[in-house]
Structure formats: C-alpha cells, structure tokens
Amino acid sequence: MDEAGRGSDGGYGLAPGRRARLRRLDAAHHLHPFTDNRELAARGTRILTHGEGVYVHDQDGRRLLDAFAGLWCVNLGYGRRELAEAARRQMEVLPYYNSFFGCTTEPAIELAAELARHAPLEQAMAFFTSSGSEAIDSVVRLVRHFWAVQGKPEKSHIIGRRNGYHGSTVAAASLGGMAAMHGQGGLPIPGIHHINAPYWFGEGGSLSPEAFGLQRARELEEKILELGPQRVAAFVAEPIQGAAGVFIPPSTYWPEIQRICRRHDVLLVVDEVICGFGRTGQWFGCQTFGIEPDVLVVAKGLTSGYLPLGAVLFGPRVGRVLQERGGELAHGYTYSGHPVCCAVALETLRILERERIIERCQEDTGPYLARRWHELGTHPLVGEARICGMVGALELVPDRRVRAFFPDRGRVGARCRDLALQNGLILRATWDTMLLAPPLIIRREEIDELVEKAWKALDQTQAELARG
Ligand code: PXG
C-alpha cells in the first residue's frame, strides 16, 4: 500500500498509522454486538471504508465481494447516489418531526401508503419503528392489546420457533429461539413459547421433507392445544429462517401452519425482515410460500440498509381494531416514522420498481444463481446446497452421503468463512452452514466470481481437513 493507502488492487485503504490508531480506539471504547470482545480486541477489528455495487473495501484497500449484503440488507448494493440524495433533500427540508400528538410528515404518510400497495395485505396499516427488533417488540405489545380490547386479555401467549431469530431486544430475543441469547439477561420473558423448526437437513431423520414439514407444522397445533386456544394470541415466524442457517421449509409446512392458525383463531405474524423486498424472488416471502398473514414485519431491505427503519404492517382485521377500538396506543418511539428514513425507503421502493430488480432476480439472475449454487452442492465437502431466490445455504459435512454434522460443530464453517475472506469473498457461517444473501443487483459475472471464490474456499477448507 502506498502513502495514500492505495491497495494493490486499486482500492483505497487506510494509511498504516491511521489504521493502527482506529483499531486501538476501537479496542478501548467499542463493544461489538454478537462478538467475543476480548478476542476481537486482541486481534484487531476489520474496518470497512467504502463500497460500490456488490463490493466493499477494507482498511488494507482490499476489494471484497459482499455475498451477504452487509447483514442481509444492502439489497440495492453500495454507493447508490439516489438514496443519498433522497436523505439529503429531506434533511434540508425537514430533518425530523414526530408522529405523535396528531402530527406526521409527508414521507411517513407516503411510505405507509406505498407499503400498503406492495404488501400482500388488504388495506395495510403501518406502525413505524427504527429496527426489526423494535418492530417485533411492537408486535408483542400490539397483538396482546388487539385481543385485550376485544375482551380477551387472557389471549396473550405468543409462540415462536427454536432457532428463530427476531432481534435482540428483550421481547424479540425471547420470541426468537436462540439458546445462547436466552442464556444472557434472564430470557425468555413469560408468555412466550417455542416449537421446533422445519429444518429437514439437520433434523428430518428418515422422514421425507414433505412428511417432516407436516410433522413440524403440527407441533404448532399441539402447542396451541396444550396452552388452550383461548390463551394463544399469535404465532410468529420467518418464511425462511435466516440467521439459523437459511432453513427453507418443505412445501407442506406453510399451508398446514396457515390452516392451524385459522382453525384456532391464532394471529399469523410473518417476520419478513430478511425475506421482504425481493429476497425470495417475490416482493415478500409470504407470496413465495403462499402465506396469508394477519401481520407482517419488515426492516433491513426497506431502506436497503442505508438508514435504520422497520415497520409492522397490520392487515384489515388487526389494523381496524387497533384504529377503531384501540383507544390511545400507549406505545411509540421518538423515531417512529422518521422522515429521512421514510424518504430513503420511498426511494428504495421506487428503485426496486423502476429498475425491475425483483423481476430481474426472478427471471434471470435468480435462476442463474441457483444453477451455479447447485454446482457448489457437488463439492465433496457439501452435503446440501439449497437456495430460494437470492438466499441460500451450503451444509458442510464430513461425509456427503450422510446427513450428519461435524462433531465439533462450527469449526469448519468458521474456517471456510475465513478462507473465503482471504479470497476476497464475504460469506457468513452459522455453525458449519455457509449462508448466501448477496445484493439483489448482483450481475451474472459477479455471480461467477462469487461461485469461483466459494469453490476455492471449499477446496482449501477440504485440503486443511485432509491434512488434519
Ligand atoms: N427479524 C429477522 C428475521 C431478522 O433476521 C431481526 C428481526 C431484527 O432486526 P434488527 O433490525 O433489530 O437487527 C432480524 C435481524 C445474523 C444476524 O447473524 C441477523 C440479524 C441481525 C443480526 C445478526 O445473521 N437479523
């Protein structure tokens, strides 16, 4: 790297002195989320400096293909000037006003209406938050309120899934089914229950995917009957479980869940924080899986990750009750309907439509990515390659003829992730499952590069395993 910090591949990194100073300050003053902070302080953090398209650049001026869209969110890719422009315009006109006390702003109104136009809900009503976690917390409070104002305060229990991920606030982490998260901070809170996930590769045993999907869906009915349907407010689930390892459910799963929720009058809340806005090849995961939810939760791709924004979208049944019989909603955030975030979301939705990005994923890049991803499925280290639209996973296994994990789960996945990074590719690992969620704007030649680099990382991982 030269004095200006120009790296070998032409990207601008950080000059060595500045890089060292930033790392020192980071280690001294910054606690990182989902990170062993002692280990990180010793190693030194990786500092990303800028990005364009599907690439980000790091402190050393290395250009990395981001096959994980930041954190499942930068769907339009990096460096979109229109989004920066939308934020700048709104900041100049009106940087902030609240949606309390009978007020709101133009972008909040327009965005609520646009979301209602796109969402697979009739006459949707939006409640805005700053994140997916806050949106899930809002769901917990507002669905309980929905039943309470109809004279059913006891209909308050909420069912989620083991290894589901719905965020990190107290209610969202409780509703999620991550054991490590429940182990910190005294979770889960009361009134939250979990059933097993439709993770066929890991837990399907000798059942066919279809039979297994039905079996796992019927756990919901058992749980509802155990608690008593009159006490169950809602079931909350991701169309595809993302953070857990991209669990794409068998085809039998969602129709059965839908039937069970209807039969027992339990609200179906679908967490579209990852799946929403094109990730599964349609606007919403609900559409991909034919789900008709009562409530839908969005964040991440809503602004392509450019600003923090989430929303709960209520279908007519719940929305109307909250509006007409909910009284004063004793719930809300300073930044509910933040005009700058809403302006950026509006521009994000406009770009998705104008550039036909979701259609392109559906008709062209999605099928191409699927074909190339399945090629990775033939690698000797891979037990299964699965993909739905622009989200996928590879299961790394010791013997690809058997659906069984490595004994020391997580080590091989972490190694493969690190080797991919050395090759200039950002992939995420959950245990030994490699996860894929590139920006939706990824082009065919970038998909080729992604697959080539992933294959190389798999080869290198396998070579290391062979050496023992
Ligand atoms: N629901 C789902 C389905 C998510 O994936 C949230 C809610 C919470 O959103 P916020 O905006 O509060 O983070 C998420 C977030 C990972 C990882 O390791 C995934 C998420 C967040 C952090 C890490 O894959 N998803």
Side-chain angles (χ1 to χ4, degrees), residues 34 68 71-72 131-133 136 165-167 238 243 271 273-274 299-300 428:
F34 287 100
F68 202 57
L71 196 51
W72 320 85
S131 68
S133 300
I136 291 287
Y165 188 84
H166 300 292
E238 306 154 74
D271 181 342
V273 168
I274 285 177
K300 291 193 191 278
R428 161 121 156 67

Side-chain angles (χ1 to χ4, degrees), residues 196-216 241 245-253 383-386 395 400-405:
N196 285 310
Y199 179 29
W200 179 77
F201 183 85
E203 299 166 8
S206 57
L207 291 178
S208 69
E210 291 73 26
F212 178 70
L214 276 183
Q215 189 194 70
R216 285 283 151 109
Q241 269 169 267
V246 183
F247 299 168
I248 303 171
S251 61
T252 46
Y253 183 76
E384 181 181 82
R386 52 179 179 266
E395 296 280 5
R400 67 192 310 272
R401 291 163 305 183
V402 188
R403 289 200 333 268
F405 300 127

Side-chain angles (χ1 to χ4, degrees), residues 150-161:
Q150 296 177 98
K152 296 181 177 173
E154 73 288 353
K155 206 163 162 67
S156 64
H157 290 256
I158 301 181
I159 302 172
R161 295 184 296 188

Side-chain angles (χ1 to χ4, degrees), residues 101-121:
F101 319 127
C103 303
T104 192
T105 60
E106 289 177 58
I109 297 173
E110 297 282 6
L111 181 59
E114 276 301 283
L115 287 170
R117 183 165 73 84
H118 287 295
L121 294 167

